[in-house]
Amino acid sequence: MTAPTALPALPFGRTVCAMVTPFTADGALDLDGAQRLADRLVGEGGCDGLVLSGTTGESPTTTDAEKNALIRAVAEAVGDRARITAGVGSPDTRHTVELARAAEAAGAHGVLVVTPYYSRPPQEDIAEHFLTVADAVGVPVMLYDIPGRTGTRIEPATMLRLAEHPRIAGVKDCAYDLLGSSKVIAQTGLAYYSGCEELNLPLRSVGGAGYVSTVANVAGPLLAAALDAYDRGAPEEALHCHQRALPLVEAMMAAGLPGTVTAKALLNTLGLPAGPVRAPLRGAAKERVAGLVRTYEEAVGAP
């Protein structure tokens, strides 16, 4: 494993991978595979942060015990080389608090909390949900704003209120509202992370901190290169890297299959730990995998 270095200065890292959860061939949690994948992502994979048990990590189909075992295993593998953020969101505030406390005890550096889904609570109730979780833990909280899946967004006015809490430190932004995000960034100290890879560079240009990416499971260095170039004052190079990644982003995230399925298909093809997905998800068909591999090779190069 790579020698330890200091933890990233940002509360959740800057180039953050929403890591898949590897399973064995029979569908059991593969902790050895998770350690090997995490070590690679943090080493040569261009990631200084990992989100575990997000949607990409198949949180709806993993048990609470599996989630905690995953945190402990990955924390052991990466040490102080990366921030570990645990997905703890659920539609139940009490359960979310339990998951958050357990994640902190297991070694997570932060927690990712999604808007309560399906019940579609009003903004006041959404705010109280997040504040209750933030009050219950001692680690930074990242809010996850993805109204396309939850049915309810976190309105900018609610973000401004939540930003006053000392442990609410960041946002994974999938709201597709660059104006609203820009206003919150300008008025708060929240670290905004793009949760949609096609917006990584645009969000950075208005003050975003980085990204939380499913595509980073297989193309972390390319995504990081776009931000690196932008930050050192090379916008044309940043744009080139951004545009080079777009076909892969589209193939993995916007072509009809969940990102978990496409990421695992590519990881398995590359000989990296991933394994199958759990039902109700199903693995990609062979012709889809072949197309993914071609697009991957065009963007990143042959393995």
Side-chain angles (χ1 to χ4, degrees):
M1 295 183 183
T2 306
T5 57
L7 282 171
L10 286 165
F12 310 97
R14 171 174 167 268
T15 54
V16 183
C17 178
M19 193 179 101
V20 304
T21 299
F23 299 131
T24 61
D26 61 359
L29 182 64
D30 181 4
L31 292 179
D32 177 68
Q35 288 187 316
R36 289 186 286 118
L37 179 60
D39 182 62
R40 183 184 188 277
L41 291 171
V42 171
E44 62 188 271
C47 303
D48 65 4
L50 300 172
V51 167
L52 306 178
S53 297
T55 307
T56 300
E58 298 179 75
S59 58
T61 56
T62 55
T63 68
D64 293 0
E66 287 176 323
K67 290 176 173 66
N68 293 329
L70 181 66
I71 295 168
R72 292 189 180 93
V74 171
E76 179 183 336
V78 304
D80 286 342
R81 292 180 292 143
R83 296 274 180 184
I84 296 173
T85 301
V88 299
S90 84
D92 176 357
T93 301
R94 288 178 298 175
H95 188 208
T96 303
V97 167
E98 292 171 1
L99 288 171
R101 286 174 169 163
E104 181 179 9
H109 301 112
V111 293
L112 174 67
V113 186
V114 72
T115 313
Y117 42 88
Y118 193 78
S119 56
R120 302 183 69 176
Q123 290 296 303
E124 181 65 24
D125 295 356
I126 289 171
E128 287 303 315
H129 173 84
F130 288 126
L131 292 169
T132 298
V133 178
D135 284 341
V137 295
V139 294
V141 174
M142 181 189 291
L143 311 177
Y144 188 5
D145 189 17
I146 183 166
R149 291 200 181 193
T150 64
T152 310
R153 74 165 302 182
I154 311 170
E155 296 291 346
T158 304
M159 289 286 192
L160 295 177
R161 175 188 171 190
L162 292 170
E164 297 176 0
H165 194 287
R167 280 184 296 283
I168 294 179
V171 178
K172 181 181 178 184
D173 184 12
C174 291
Y176 286 97
D177 177 12
L178 197 58
L179 175 59
S181 299
S182 299
K183 290 168 62 177
V184 176
I185 290 169
Q187 296 179 52
T188 73
L190 290 174
Y192 254 71
Y193 293 82
S194 171
C196 309
E197 287 86 350
E198 68 272 27
L199 295 181
N200 288 358
L201 188 58
L203 190 66
R204 180 71 187 96
S205 73
V206 297
Y211 55 74
V212 177
S213 168
T214 295
V215 176
N217 279 280
V218 296
L222 178 58
L223 300 182
L227 296 194
D228 292 343
Y230 181 86
D231 288 349
R232 68 170 183 272
E236 291 184 359
E237 181 182 345
L239 181 59
H240 173 74
C241 293
H242 177 74
Q243 292 177 338
R244 182 177 161 192
L246 288 178
L248 181 61
V249 170
E250 183 174 23
M252 290 185 65
M253 306 302 294
L257 289 177
T260 304
V261 173
T262 57
K264 282 197 163 183
L266 280 171
L267 287 167
N268 285 326
T269 300
L270 295 169
L272 297 170
V277 292
R278 284 181 175 174
L281 297 179
R282 296 195 299 170
K286 288 183 178 180
E287 60 272 15
R288 292 296 298 274
V289 176
L292 282 167
V293 171
R294 286 194 298 271
T295 305
Y296 170 86
E297 291 178 348
E298 290 169 0
V300 177

